[in-house]
Amino acid sequence: MRYLVTGGAGFIGSHLCEQLLDLGHEVLALDDLSTGRFENVAALEDRPGFELRVASVTDAGVVEPCVVDCRAIFHLASAVGVRLVVDEPVKTIETIVGGTDVVLRAAARYRRPVVLTSTSEVYGKSEKIPFSEGDDCVMGPTTTRRWAYACAKALDEFLALAHWYESRLPVVVARLFNTVGPRQTGRYGMVVPRFVEQALAGEPITVYGDGRQSRCFAHVLDVVDALIALIGRPEAHGQVFNIGNDEEITIRDLAERVRGLTGARSTIRMVPYTEAYTAGFEDMVRRVPDLSKINRLIGYAPRRDLDQILADVIAEHKNDRHLPE
Ligand code: UDP
């Protein structure tokens, strides 16, 4: 079967392409290489059944033939992370909402199943633990740019579910919690690659705020397996699923763990939010997924724990440091 993976050269997208090829499928990856990187898929280019098309997901003239060419779609193309939306709000909102609109219109025209990847950001600043799919999304004011990311992704979800409601387009919404693993870059602020890079360089590990905020980190390969399992399940159509790991750790403890596993002598530097982000930034205190819904449908449970995840990321970064420029 031939799949379209939008955002196929991104961190998660490239692992998804690789896994689909390993399973014997063909893959057409569409990526404009804005936040995705060619190096992520360079090793796939020689594999039979893989094709990369470099173009934007907002370009309907490109997307439509890709959709025609494939039997099902994983839509991952998106601006990544909160930092980008704070720095480039117009482009970010346009890419997230416009790109999803283009993909869903083409999918609706040719009746192709779509897995739309969304984010735990849509739960906003809700303090409920854990987050279940039917819970309220609690957003801040429109005058605070960071909320545009959550709202744009929530609008994507509304649009996908609207297509399901109006024409029974088979869509599945996957809400990804913090996903980490090899190929993730620290460039957009993601904490695990940043801490690992800082530790391996012997630089201070920068913990924002008081470090008591916590997150749950899932290995990208667990996430990719769940996405592939979902696209094959008709019972998932028109539904939202959390995907992640429910092992929680504070960011301060994460810094200590990375320092321990790398054997680094780095200090841990506490950085006030006002210094780390722009004024008015609100960080989430805790973010824990309720995984019971996806567990009931596909038997999903994360297979890799935090130590394995960190070991994989550390190994990759150590390897990169030994490669010539
Ligand atoms: N964080 C940190 N130091 C860094 C980068 C991030 O302490 O160098 C914190 C950040 O404030 C947040 C957590 O790590 O509390 C996770 O950040 P990330 O950007 O990886 O994901 P998200 O905020 O989307 O959960």
Side-chain angles (χ1 to χ4, degrees):
M1 177 133 150
R2 185 166 161 90
Y3 288 97
L4 172 62
V5 179
T6 74
F11 154 55
I12 302 174
S14 62
H15 284 284
L16 176 61
C17 293
E18 196 172 341
Q19 182 65 0
L20 288 169
L21 291 170
D22 287 349
L23 291 168
H25 299 295
E26 293 181 20
V27 176
L28 172 54
L30 176 68
D31 203 300
D32 67 356
L33 303 181
S34 54
T35 54
R37 287 182 298 175
F38 173 72
E39 304 90 81
N40 287 342
V41 289
L44 304 183
E45 282 236 291
D46 297 334
R47 290 186 60 169
F50 180 77
E51 186 186 336
L52 172 66
R53 233 167 260 183
V54 181
S56 169
V57 74
T58 57
D59 185 340
V62 172
V63 170
E64 185 152 321
C66 292
V67 167
V68 172
D69 242 17
C70 295
R71 298 307 309 163
I73 305 160
F74 291 98
H75 177 42
L76 281 76
S78 174
V80 252
V82 168
R83 176 160 289 185
L84 199 63
V85 80
V86 170
D87 294 344
E88 295 180 50
V90 173
K91 191 165 154 234
T92 310
I93 298 168
E94 284 180 355
T95 309
I96 293 174
V97 181
T100 299
D101 181 38
V102 165
V103 169
L104 289 172
R105 274 173 199 263
R109 190 166 305 136
Y110 300 100
R111 311 274 321 149
R112 300 291 195 259
V114 183
V115 168
L116 170 91
T117 52
S118 182
T119 163
S120 58
E121 274 287 319
V122 300
Y123 291 108
K125 51 180 163 177
S126 165
E127 288 177 4
K128 186 175 168 288
I129 297 293
F131 290 141
S132 308
E133 291 84 348
D135 288 343
D136 286 343
C137 301
V138 184
M139 303 293 165
T142 53
T143 43
T144 303
R145 291 196 298 285
R146 70 106 63 215
W147 294 113
Y149 182 68
C151 285
K153 295 296 277 190
L155 190 57
D156 280 4
E157 293 194 14
F158 275 121
L159 194 57
L161 297 172
H163 277 281
W164 163 253
Y165 174 73
E166 288 194 9
S167 67
R168 284 290 177 265
L169 174 70
V171 296
V172 184
V173 175
R175 270 186 201 154
L176 308 191
F177 283 66
N178 294 67
T179 302
V180 295
R183 299 186 199 142
Q184 184 176 42
T185 162
R187 214 180 309 153
Y188 307 107
M190 275 60 169
V191 68
V192 167
R194 280 177 58 82
F195 281 6
V196 169
E197 278 166 25
Q198 289 166 342
L200 292 178
E203 291 166 3
I205 300 178
T206 54
V207 171
Y208 299 162
D210 63 9
R212 281 189 291 179
Q213 73 273 29
S214 68
R215 291 294 185 274
C216 300
F217 297 96
H219 196 293
V220 63
L221 294 180
D222 281 337
V223 170
V224 157
D225 284 347
L227 293 174
I228 295 172
L230 281 177
I231 209 161
R233 298 301 290 256
E235 311 94 293
H237 296 162
Q239 305 253 0
V240 179
F241 294 90
N242 289 337
I243 303 179
N245 188 319
D246 45 15
E247 180 185 350
E248 190 178 9
I249 185 167
T250 67
I251 298 302
R252 169 85 208 199
D253 287 349
L254 177 71
E256 309 266 8
R257 188 88 74 98
V258 169
R259 184 165 62 176
L261 288 169
T262 52
R265 294 213 195 110
S266 299
T267 54
I268 291 179
R269 186 161 83 85
M270 309 304 287
V271 181
Y273 283 124
T274 45
E275 201 182 301
Y277 298 104
T278 50
F281 181 83
E282 297 174 69
D283 200 10
M284 308 300 146
V285 181
R286 293 175 72 190
R287 182 185 279 161
V288 182
D290 174 355
L291 299 172
S292 52
K293 186 174 176 188
I294 190 163
N295 178 269
R296 273 196 307 277
L297 184 69
I298 60 165
Y300 172 84
R303 289 191 296 140
R304 297 156 181 94
D305 64 15
L306 186 60
D307 279 342
Q308 266 175 287
I309 296 170
L310 293 177
D312 273 8
V313 176
I314 291 166
E316 184 206 31
H317 283 257
K318 273 190 177 160
N319 203 22
D320 285 355
R321 293 174 71 81
H322 290 122
L323 291 177
E325 282 295 303

